[in-house]
Amino acid sequence: AQSVTQLDSQVPVFEEAPVELRCNYSSSVSVYLFWYVQYPNQGLQLLLKYLSGSTLVESINGFEAEFNKSQTSFHLRKPSVHISDTAEYFCAVTLYNQGGKLIFGQGTELSVKP
Amino acid sequence: GAGVSQSPSNKVTEKGKDVELRCDPISGHTALYWYRQSLGQGLEFLIYFQGNSAPDKSGLPSDRFSAERTGGSVSTLTIQRTQQEDSAVYLCASSPPGGTYNEQFFGPGTRLTVL
């Protein structure tokens, strides 16, 4: 069975510090990888995704994630965070030819302090 | 443009009652998904529709849960004889045609509380 593990449930950081949110997955077949973000009192929205090609993918607000097949990881990074990045971040996978259902990790709550 | 809408936004019910949750997907989106978000279980897949058919119902937790989609648009998730463990936020998402890797657009959710 496929699963997604987010190793940190909470990550507190100071503004302008770098951050890494860790995600590992388990699957015997090819997967597509996603990071979704849920800002306070808002719905889930896509942050970035990896489908194929370059293993480094970027979002419009400065986040990036790197697909590492050998380590089955898809960690999310940002070199300098802002207060507005405070949110819950979910790593998810979907399997090829499985209709697109997302299997989510437990989420990581990122709290950026001034 | 209009996003995914869900109603009601909040529902409080008594144990044993039936509830219906509604999802209006983005116009033209052929795929529709239901998920459940709870403190103990995180985000869980429930059921997936492609058009009006449901090729994957594997996430429905019991036979008290059912869902339908009509006209390739609105979907209703029904929970019969609600139990306290059904308390959660029920999320609906839709995605456009073209592949299993398309972005899913999520609604704001329905918060269900079973007393």
Side-chain angles (χ1 to χ4, degrees):
Chain A
Q2 293 73 33
S3 66
V4 178
T5 302
Q6 290 183 244
L7 297 164
D8 306 295
S9 59
Q10 294 181 321
V11 174
V13 293
F14 288 107
E15 194 174 17
E16 298 184 5
V19 71
E20 178 180 80
L21 307 183
R22 296 178 291 169
C23 172
N24 287 89
Y25 69 93
S26 172
S27 176
S28 57
V29 299
S30 295
V31 298
Y32 301 122
L33 294 151
F34 304 82
W35 277 97
Y36 278 81
V37 59
Q38 190 171 31
Y39 296 103
N41 301 313
Q42 294 187 31
L44 274 165
Q45 53 189 280
L46 180 67
L47 186 62
L48 47 75
K49 63 183 178 183
Y50 171 78
L51 306 180
S52 64
S54 172
T55 58
L56 185 66
V57 291
E58 299 177 351
S59 72
I60 59 172
N61 59 350
F63 281 94
E64 63 179 32
E66 186 159 20
F67 169 56
N68 187 318
K69 188 173 182 179
S70 63
Q71 296 187 2
T72 60
S73 68
F74 192 54
H75 300 332
L76 182 69
R77 303 183 184 97
K78 189 170 185 180
S80 176
V81 294
H82 303 289
I83 299 286
S84 59
D85 293 324
T86 294
E88 189 150 20
Y89 292 79
F90 293 91
C91 182
V93 303
T94 187
L95 308 182
Y96 179 73
N97 261 353
Q98 291 280 307
K101 73 179 185 185
L102 292 168
I103 300 166
F104 285 94
Q106 295 285 8
T108 296
E109 189 178 329
L110 175 65
S111 176
V112 182
K113 305 180 186 304
Chain B
V4 177
S5 61
Q6 293 185 246
S7 60
S9 55
N10 277 287
K11 176 73 176 178
V12 180
T13 190
E14 293 180 349
K15 178 181 172 180
K17 300 283 190 183
D18 297 352
V19 296
E20 283 190 354
L21 312 180
R22 177 188 170 105
C23 172
D24 280 276
I26 294 172
S27 177
H29 282 195
T30 53
L32 186 148
Y33 305 82
W34 283 97
Y35 297 89
R36 178 168 74 171
Q37 186 173 22
S38 58
L39 280 177
Q41 302 297 322
L43 268 160
E44 306 171 279
F45 166 80
L46 297 177
I47 186 170
Y48 150 64
F49 287 92
Q50 183 62 247
N52 290 337
S53 64
D56 191 346
K57 306 178 184 180
S58 62
L60 295 178
S62 76
D63 58 9
R64 296 186 295 104
F65 287 71
S66 62
E68 65 175 13
R69 188 180 185 194
T70 55
S73 179
V74 171
S75 176
T76 303
L77 177 69
T78 301
I79 309 173
Q80 295 180 310
R81 305 181 302 282
T82 52
Q83 303 294 312
Q84 288 183 332
E85 61 262 29
D86 299 335
S87 295
V89 177
Y90 289 82
L91 297 173
C92 175
S94 68
S95 66
T100 59
Y101 48 82
N102 285 335
E103 175 180 357
Q104 293 184 22
F105 293 81
F106 283 81
T110 293
R111 181 176 296 278
L112 175 66
T113 303
V114 182
L115 301 177

